[in-house]
Amino acid sequence: MSKPRIVILGAGYGGLVTAIRLQKKMRRNEMDVTLVNKHDYHFITTHLHMPAAGTDHHDNARVTISDLIDERKIRFVKSTVRQIVPEEKKIILDESTLDYDYLVIGLGSETETFGIPGMHEYAMSIKSINSVRFIRQHIEYMFAKSKMAPKRKDYLTFVVGGAGFTGTEFVGELADRIPVLCKTYDVDPADVSIYNVEASASALPPGLPEDLILYGMEVMRRKGVQYKLSTAIKECTSEGVILSNGEFIRAGTVVWSGGIRGNSLLQEAGFEVQRGRVKVDSCLRSYSFPEIFITGDCSIVTSPEGAPYPANAQIAVQQGFNAARNLIQTIRSKELKPFIYDFKGTVATLGRGEAVGLLKVKKVKGRLALFIKKMIDARYLFLIGGLPLIWKKMVWKQKSTTRNYHVPN
Amino acid sequence: MSKPRIVILGAGYGGLVTAIRLQKKMRRNEMDVTLVNKHDYHFITTHLHMPAAGTDHHDNARVTISDLIDERKIRFVKSTVRQIVPEEKKIILDESTLDYDYLVIGLGSETETFGIPGMHEYAMSIKSINSVRFIRQHIEYMFAKSKMAPKRKDYLTFVVGGAGFTGTEFVGELADRIPVLCKTYDVDPADVSIYNVEASASALPPGLPEDLILYGMEVMRRKGVQYKLSTAIKECTSEGVILSNGEFIRAGTVVWSGGIRGNSLLQEAGFEVQRGRVKVDSCLRSYSFPEIFITGDCSIVTSPEGAPYPANAQIAVQQGFNAARNLIQTIRSKELKPFIYDFKGTVATLGRGEAVGLLKVKKVKGRLALFIKKMIDARYLFLIGGLPLIWKKMVWKQKSTTRNYHVPN
């Protein structure tokens, strides 16, 4: 009689793709799908390093959800999830509750600070439209402030903790942004310092071959980035960072990109977690509650050899496809299809005009790598919003990247 | 044998106009003129309320000094004055000293806080390119911050102390800017509050007739400005302001425009001062040192009835004309011409599309007042830089008012 109720928590890569694929594949009246998200927009996490540095407008990193889903087919609820109660198949939202028969959890990640004192309090992190808008303004504020107190060189000192994927892409953009800010604020570029601090022995995303890493670091150094490798941040204070080698860097800006953990709601709901993430079965389901699918940064999927895959957008999108398919199969009482991660490669940008990457086994760098990166971005935009979205976010975006001081007439 | 050495301190209205008029009127090799200024640009103080609110780019409020003076005729020294030693006719700069035969002091004003506790520490003021760039960024920073802490309504509360000329013009722009910022930062305009606190019983510049004041206040109220009249700020803290009626307004932004005083270097040099300003003779000269001319906010000139004129750009410009003329007359041993202030009127803008003013005895408001204000601005730009400067700052300015997030290619 009653249709199965599917609730999707989070409109990140995993949740949004699940919703879009369900919308496309489900039959009329086959199921009742509700998508819950804190904001009325989806944001493109892999693009957030640009608005964080101020080299692109944050609107180019988000899409209004109602532009992506058909609200006659999928109900969208803009609300914050307070609690997941798997035993009662119930979700407690800010001002209401939802019952479900099947649940997809795609609630994304939180910042992992590894217990470094002061990191939560004093460092910023690249995780949402709100947070990157804040980082961008904080950086500009420091430039403005430096002109009111010319001796405070710490206002012009920027520390990025973590030289992995996000850290590297952000530092590349920040280094490109500095000359523009120096011009706007009459600041001597020689007074600005950018440090990228990394506990491991190498910068740039892990897994890249040695020669690409050296190439990338050279690109970054030429832009003025100073690396502190094999160096951990021991403590973050209101005045800067204390490093494992005893050095203290006085800095007005500390951005932490050293790690993520799964959304804490999962642990609170009683799931067994590792760094907030839940190990799922071959079909992305919770071992304890098979009606719950978990995607993206909240889930741990292991390779055939048993090693967990790193959390990234690519795997989350593929999980979304798989979860939608298996939800339909479940409802139709058909056999489920296990999730197999198809690693297509990874490309990290190094600011304007430069990137490095590995495609399956092919190494790419420079403009070619950047071109491929743009193709990856375009592919995702096409997937969620078709050609119009590519046009809006990649081609026509010039328009919204200029910010006019004038009140529009 | 040696030419008289004239040193002009400060390239504000008074100093700059003195320099430009000397350049034009002096004979070849008649005198040796040095202009000293802290920055390599002159800023148009009457325009600063716009970049402070973010409704115009700060570059539209400044002009590079080398574009205004002919450095083959006038020597320009970019330096900060540390001390004036009138007894030795010597100026101590940051890294050098200058000797003079005649001195023009046009060092402008400082913020007068009337001893209100915390005002110097926690309030910002509209006084320079650096300070307004800081205010603009501070305002945006508060918007960005409010999205990271949605309960902190104080981040979206703006208090402007003083509803005179600068306070009113700034509040008008700020009220226009708020809707744009709300859109950029996804903030509900209902969450934003603007208070204009004024100790006297009336808002808007003193001297305006009652009906214009009522008209202007109504314009401002429609934009969302809340007036607190006959209310003094008793104390400014890191969290807001305490008013004389006992009320506490929690606010992340406090801008103080309640008063100015003359540059403290004059008092330090031993001049007899009233609020840092020096009473000058009918030819703008110091009574104790007749080789020193004092212009603008550092000087007190009284009306024939003995009342001091208010410090503003109009009087400073006229003083510049008079000082230049009298310097030449002095050097040529001719009779000096007393300074007579020709009050042409005053127009205060109330944000976009609105202004109120008094021209001699004619009242103006609305678009007419705004047009006259623009004519006053244009007249000044023409005076210091001719038609090219009007073009650059008033006509073609669209170009520099857009700030592109992208690093230029």
Side-chain angles (χ1 to χ4, degrees):
Chain A
M1 189 66 240
S2 69
K3 293 182 284 183
R5 293 160 305 178
I6 296 173
V7 170
I8 304 168
L9 302 181
Y13 291 101
L16 180 69
V17 171
T18 305
I20 286 175
R21 295 300 297 175
L22 281 179
Q23 173 178 298
K24 185 166 174 158
K25 295 292 181 183
M26 69 188 180
R27 297 191 195 113
R28 185 197 281 256
N29 287 322
E30 190 178 22
M31 54 188 95
D32 176 35
V33 183
T34 304
L35 174 65
V36 178
N37 197 54
K38 188 153 66 163
H39 311 290
D40 59 7
Y41 53 82
H42 160 73
F43 55 83
I44 300 157
T45 312
T46 58
H47 196 74
L48 289 178
H49 59 287
M50 291 185 73
T55 52
D56 196 6
H57 195 289
H58 55 264
D59 281 346
N60 288 323
R62 63 174 167 178
V63 194
T64 305
I65 289 170
S66 60
D67 287 350
L68 300 176
I69 62 164
D70 182 345
E71 290 189 70
R72 292 164 305 180
K73 292 182 181 165
I74 290 180
R75 187 159 67 109
F76 172 60
V77 176
K78 178 179 176 290
S79 189
T80 302
V81 180
R82 291 296 164 208
Q83 202 187 334
I84 302 165
V85 194
E87 295 79 7
E88 302 175 27
K89 297 189 179 178
K90 189 193 283 289
I91 303 299
I92 301 174
L93 301 178
D94 240 354
E95 281 150 349
S96 62
T97 60
L98 289 173
D99 297 301
Y100 63 82
D101 298 307
Y102 297 98
L103 180 67
V104 180
I105 303 178
L107 288 168
S109 63
E110 296 175 358
T111 304
E112 172 64 271
T113 61
F114 305 105
I116 301 170
M119 200 54 101
H120 258 302
E121 295 79 354
Y122 303 114
M124 295 171 285
S125 57
I126 295 165
K127 59 185 172 193
S128 65
I129 293 290
N130 285 335
S131 82
V132 299
R133 219 161 23 188
F134 180 61
I135 293 172
R136 179 196 73 210
Q137 283 315 118
H138 182 86
I139 293 168
E140 283 215 34
Y141 192 52
M142 288 299 117
F143 271 83
K145 244 179 149 166
S146 78
K147 294 301 287 189
M148 304 297 282
K151 282 179 187 155
R152 296 287 302 268
K153 293 289 170 273
D154 55 322
Y155 289 150
L156 299 172
T157 302
F158 300 88
V159 173
V160 179
F165 208 95
T166 309
T168 294
E169 291 203 311
F170 172 66
V171 167
E173 295 299 319
L174 179 61
D176 283 351
R177 178 82 174 140
I178 295 301
V180 179
L181 291 174
C182 284
K183 214 172 156 219
T184 306
Y185 291 91
D186 307 315
V187 164
D188 181 352
D191 289 340
V192 180
S193 307
I194 306 176
Y195 294 98
N196 196 353
V197 182
E198 169 62 47
S200 75
S202 158
L204 279 76
L208 284 181
E210 180 73 14
D211 57 338
L212 281 191
I213 288 175
L214 292 177
Y215 173 85
M217 284 177 67
E218 186 47 36
V219 166
M220 300 291 256
R221 283 203 184 99
R222 276 202 307 269
K223 291 178 198 261
V225 176
Q226 299 177 62
Y227 282 109
K228 298 262 177 192
L229 301 181
S230 307
T231 307
I233 295 179
K234 258 178 63 187
E235 190 177 342
C236 185
T237 77
S238 62
E239 305 201 321
V241 289
I242 302 166
L243 304 183
S244 53
N245 61 12
E247 201 183 336
F248 177 62
I249 304 179
R250 277 179 72 88
T253 304
V254 181
V255 175
W256 173 245
S257 74
I260 59 156
R261 51 182 294 122
N263 194 304
S264 51
L265 287 167
L266 281 105
Q267 181 165 15
E268 287 162 32
F271 289 98
E272 196 182 303
V273 295
Q274 296 169 28
R275 273 211 219 152
R277 303 169 70 194
V278 178
K279 208 167 167 178
V280 290
D281 70 13
S282 65
C283 296
L284 307 178
R285 295 172 302 185
S286 152
Y287 282 104
S288 358
F289 302 97
E291 71 280 8
I292 299 182
F293 294 75
I294 306 176
T295 64
D297 295 352
C298 292
S299 69
I300 298 179
V301 181
T302 51
S303 69
E305 296 77 35
Y309 288 121
N312 62 37
Q314 190 179 165
I315 196 167
V317 168
Q318 292 179 21
Q319 287 177 317
F321 270 86
N322 186 269
R325 177 189 205 133
N326 281 337
L327 273 165
I328 290 174
Q329 295 293 88
T330 305
I331 285 163
R332 294 178 189 166
S333 305
K334 290 192 180 157
E335 202 183 335
L336 272 58
K337 200 186 161 208
F339 173 74
I340 295 160
Y341 179 36
D342 175 22
F343 175 73
K344 293 180 194 304
T346 179
V347 181
T349 60
L350 307 170
R352 185 162 44 102
E354 279 290 355
V356 285
L358 195 63
L359 308 174
K360 305 266 183 189
V361 291
K362 187 174 163 47
K363 294 185 272 186
V364 287
K365 64 184 181 183
R367 297 207 162 263
L368 172 65
L370 197 70
F371 175 76
I372 291 164
K373 180 78 173 188
K374 279 198 193 294
M375 287 304 98
I376 296 169
D377 291 350
R379 196 169 168 277
Y380 176 66
L381 292 176
F382 184 76
L383 170 70
I384 64 169
L387 278 178
L389 195 61
I390 295 184
W391 176 258
K392 210 165 141 188
K393 298 286 155 183
M394 298 190 76
V395 185
W396 190 236
K397 71 174 192 170
Q398 274 308 115
K399 196 160 181 181
S400 61
T401 57
T402 59
R403 180 162 53 153
N404 199 317
Y405 277 132
H406 269 291
V407 179
N409 284 302
Chain B
M1 191 62 238
S2 70
K3 295 181 284 182
R5 294 159 303 177
I6 296 174
V7 171
I8 304 170
L9 301 182
Y13 292 101
L16 180 69
V17 171
T18 305
I20 286 176
R21 295 301 296 174
L22 280 181
Q23 174 178 297
K24 186 170 175 152
K25 296 290 181 187
M26 69 188 181
R27 298 192 195 112
R28 186 196 282 254
N29 288 323
E30 190 177 23
M31 53 189 94
D32 176 37
V33 183
T34 303
L35 174 64
V36 178
N37 198 53
K38 187 154 63 162
H39 310 289
D40 58 6
Y41 52 84
H42 160 74
F43 56 82
I44 301 157
T45 312
T46 59
H47 196 74
L48 288 179
H49 59 287
M50 292 185 75
T55 52
D56 197 4
H57 195 289
H58 55 265
D59 281 345
N60 288 322
R62 63 173 168 181
V63 194
T64 304
I65 289 169
S66 60
D67 287 349
L68 299 176
I69 63 165
D70 182 344
E71 289 187 72
R72 290 164 306 179
K73 293 181 180 165
I74 289 180
R75 187 159 67 109
F76 172 60
V77 176
K78 177 178 177 288
S79 190
T80 303
V81 180
R82 292 292 164 210
Q83 203 188 334
I84 302 165
V85 194
E87 296 78 8
E88 302 175 27
K89 299 191 179 178
K90 188 192 284 289
I91 304 299
I92 300 173
L93 301 179
D94 238 354
E95 280 149 350
S96 62
T97 61
L98 289 173
D99 296 302
Y100 64 81
D101 298 305
Y102 298 97
L103 180 66
V104 180
I105 303 178
L107 287 168
S109 63
E110 297 174 359
T111 304
E112 171 63 273
T113 61
F114 306 105
I116 300 170
M119 200 56 100
H120 258 303
E121 293 80 354
Y122 302 114
M124 294 170 287
S125 57
I126 295 165
K127 59 184 173 196
S128 64
I129 294 290
N130 285 336
S131 83
V132 299
R133 217 160 25 185
F134 180 61
I135 293 172
R136 180 195 72 209
Q137 283 313 120
H138 182 87
I139 293 167
E140 283 215 36
Y141 193 52
M142 289 298 119
F143 271 83
K145 242 179 150 167
S146 78
K147 294 301 285 188
M148 303 296 283
K151 282 179 187 155
R152 296 287 302 268
K153 292 289 169 275
D154 55 322
Y155 289 150
L156 298 171
T157 302
F158 300 88
V159 173
V160 179
F165 209 94
T166 309
T168 294
E169 291 202 313
F170 172 65
V171 167
E173 296 299 319
L174 179 61
D176 283 351
R177 177 83 174 140
I178 295 299
V180 179
L181 291 174
C182 284
K183 216 173 151 217
T184 304
Y185 291 92
D186 308 314
V187 164
D188 181 352
D191 288 341
V192 181
S193 307
I194 306 177
Y195 294 98
N196 196 353
V197 182
E198 169 62 47
S200 76
S202 160
L204 278 75
L208 284 182
E210 180 73 13
D211 56 339
L212 281 192
I213 287 174
L214 292 176
Y215 173 85
M217 284 177 68
E218 185 48 35
V219 167
M220 300 290 255
R221 283 204 184 99
R222 279 202 306 268
K223 290 178 199 261
V225 177
Q226 299 177 63
Y227 282 109
K228 299 263 175 192
L229 301 180
S230 307
T231 307
I233 294 179
K234 258 178 63 188
E235 189 178 341
C236 184
T237 76
S238 62
E239 305 202 320
V241 290
I242 302 165
L243 304 182
S244 53
N245 60 13
E247 201 183 334
F248 177 62
I249 304 178
R250 276 180 73 88
T253 305
V254 180
V255 174
W256 174 246
S257 73
I260 57 156
R261 52 181 294 120
N263 194 306
S264 50
L265 287 166
L266 282 104
Q267 182 165 12
E268 287 161 30
F271 288 98
E272 196 182 304
V273 294
Q274 295 168 28
R275 273 211 218 152
R277 303 169 69 194
V278 178
K279 210 170 166 175
V280 291
D281 72 12
S282 66
C283 296
L284 306 178
R285 294 173 302 187
S286 153
Y287 283 103
S288 357
F289 303 96
E291 70 280 9
I292 299 182
F293 294 76
I294 307 175
T295 64
D297 295 352
C298 292
S299 70
I300 298 178
V301 181
T302 51
S303 70
E305 294 78 36
Y309 289 121
N312 62 37
Q314 190 178 165
I315 196 166
V317 168
Q318 292 179 24
Q319 287 176 316
F321 270 86
N322 187 269
R325 178 189 205 130
N326 280 338
L327 273 165
I328 289 172
Q329 296 294 89
T330 306
I331 286 164
R332 294 180 191 165
S333 306
K334 290 194 181 157
E335 202 184 337
L336 272 58
K337 201 187 158 208
F339 173 74
I340 296 161
Y341 179 35
D342 175 21
F343 175 72
K344 294 181 194 302
T346 178
V347 181
T349 59
L350 307 169
R352 184 160 45 102
E354 278 290 354
V356 286
L358 195 62
L359 306 175
K360 305 266 184 191
V361 292
K362 187 173 163 49
K363 293 185 274 187
V364 287
K365 65 183 182 184
R367 297 209 161 263
L368 172 65
L370 197 70
F371 174 76
I372 291 163
K373 179 80 174 187
K374 279 197 192 293
M375 286 305 98
I376 297 170
D377 291 349
R379 197 169 166 278
Y380 176 67
L381 291 177
F382 183 76
L383 170 68
I384 63 170
L387 278 179
L389 195 60
I390 296 184
W391 176 258
K392 211 165 140 188
K393 299 287 155 182
M394 298 189 78
V395 185
W396 190 236
K397 72 173 192 169
Q398 274 309 116
K399 195 158 182 185
S400 62
T401 57
T402 60
R403 180 162 52 152
N404 198 317
Y405 276 134
H406 270 289
V407 179
N409 283 302

